Amino acid sequence: MHSVTATLLISTYNWPQALDLVLLSVLKQTVLPLEVVIADDGSGPETRNLIENYRKQFQIPVKHIWHEDQGFRKTQILNKAIRQINGEYIIQIDGDIVLHPRFIEDHLQNIQPGYFVKGSRGMLDKEKTTKVLQSRNIDFTPFQWGLSSRINATRLTTLSPLFYGPPEKTRDFKGCNFAVWKKDFIAVNGYNNALTGWGHEDIELAARLVNLGIKRRHLKMTAVCFHLHHQLNCRKQENSNLQVYYKTLDENISTCSNGYAQTD
């Protein structure tokens, strides 16, 4: 479904060295998205300068949507960025996810009405990540050292349909490789702005999509990407955010009262 216009949405916060590799991997794509939109949760000037430099290298628009750093407000900056998106379809990654050259192409091949996509990722260990950040060599193979989740790091599209998984499952969902129709995202009122601090904003959104009747599709061995190693975020809010997810499930909630529509 290459006729569908797709936006690549990248969330980032104060790690320009990682974002550099992510944007480098976007430049290497076999198929470019309509635009790149960067949702920035309050990074400093180094990130802004990096994006400005990359903007000159892209043949497509690169938008930088920023708000002030007031702690972890990922849901709010994502909603704010999605208000600026022109694509009909959103492919979302985190700012530490390096893309296989056919990542966008694979996502476009797997677009289906009535579905959102949970992707997979290979995991680079700490030592490998340090080397990659220094060398800027992002030509990964599934068999190299320093890589775990090797099946996730292997692109073998003929086997991908074996892994589509249960269409209503949301507990294992991750927003670092995720795709959704913009109209479906708006229908559930986007991310829940009430979820601040790290954790579970992605599964809570997925639960509302499923409650609305949008089904999940798990992509494995296609739309391959690689997750750079980093320290864990502060998880102080994790449990309270998880309780909101359980409430969403228990009460079959398909929209939130403070989300996309309430974001400036």
Side-chain angles (χ1 to χ4, degrees), residues 186-244:
I186 293 170
V188 297
N189 203 20
Y191 282 102
N192 187 340
N193 289 332
L195 300 183
T196 56
W198 182 90
H200 309 308
E201 73 286 335
D202 40 15
I203 61 173
E204 197 273 338
L205 170 63
R208 282 185 281 116
L209 285 164
V210 166
N211 290 343
L212 189 68
I214 312 299
K215 293 182 168 54
R216 183 199 85 149
R217 196 172 182 205
H218 185 183
L219 290 190
K220 220 175 181 68
M221 306 186 90
T222 189
V224 169
C225 59
F226 304 87
H227 191 191
L228 300 171
H229 180 273
H230 58 83
Q231 285 186 304
L232 295 176
N233 289 301
C234 169
R235 304 204 166 192
K236 194 169 64 175
Q237 293 296 118
E238 180 183 7
N239 191 53
S240 61
N241 288 357
L242 188 58
Q243 296 314 310
V244 177

Side-chain angles (χ1 to χ4, degrees), residues 51-206:
I51 294 166
E52 282 302 320
N53 287 335
Y54 266 103
R55 200 172 261 145
K56 299 164 193 160
Q57 299 176 57
F58 275 93
Q59 304 295 310
I60 56 173
V62 177
K63 300 176 184 174
H64 182 200
I65 314 300
W66 179 91
H67 66 189
E68 193 179 346
D69 185 358
Q70 294 178 3
F72 193 105
R73 295 188 295 153
K74 187 177 180 181
T75 54
Q76 294 170 46
I77 195 61
L78 283 168
N79 281 331
K80 192 172 184 175
I82 289 168
R83 294 189 80 84
Q84 304 298 317
I85 277 175
N86 291 316
E88 305 160 81
Y89 195 70
I90 302 162
I91 302 168
Q92 182 185 315
I93 61 170
D94 286 346
D96 53 14
I97 296 286
V98 179
L99 309 180
H100 183 285
R102 299 179 80 170
F103 179 85
I104 299 290
E105 179 188 337
D106 287 346
H107 264 293
L108 292 174
Q109 292 288 357
N110 283 280
I111 291 176
Q112 261 191 289
Y115 282 83
F116 67 94
V117 162
K118 171 199 185 261
S120 304
R121 76 237 199 268
M123 307 286 286
L124 301 178
D125 69 18
K126 188 176 182 179
E127 189 183 353
K128 179 70 173 176
T129 296
T130 302
K131 281 216 163 20
V132 168
L133 289 168
Q134 287 168 350
S135 69
R136 297 180 79 234
N137 178 5
I138 55 169
D139 296 328
F140 302 131
T141 71
F143 309 108
Q144 65 198 2
W145 66 271
L147 178 70
S148 60
S149 312
R150 290 183 191 276
I151 288 178
N152 289 348
T154 303
R155 183 179 183 275
L156 203 56
T157 56
T158 50
L159 294 184
S160 186
L162 300 175
F163 298 99
Y164 286 161
E168 271 97 35
K169 187 177 181 184
T170 56
R171 186 68 179 86
D172 64 345
F173 184 79
K174 290 181 175 63
C176 63
N177 181 1
F178 160 52
V180 64
W181 290 91
K182 186 179 178 185
K183 64 180 178 57
D184 294 340
F185 180 88
I186 293 170
V188 297
N189 203 20
Y191 282 102
N192 187 340
N193 289 332
L195 300 183
T196 56
W198 182 90
H200 309 308
E201 73 286 335
D202 40 15
I203 61 173
E204 197 273 338
L205 170 63

Side-chain angles (χ1 to χ4, degrees), residues 13 17 21 24 29 36 55 67 95 115 151 184 187 231-232 251 254 264:
Y13 173 69
Q17 296 82 3
L21 298 186
L24 185 61
Q29 293 298 298
V36 175
R55 200 172 261 145
H67 66 189
Y115 282 83
I151 288 178
D184 294 340
Q231 285 186 304
L232 295 176
E251 299 181 17
S254 61
D264 295 332

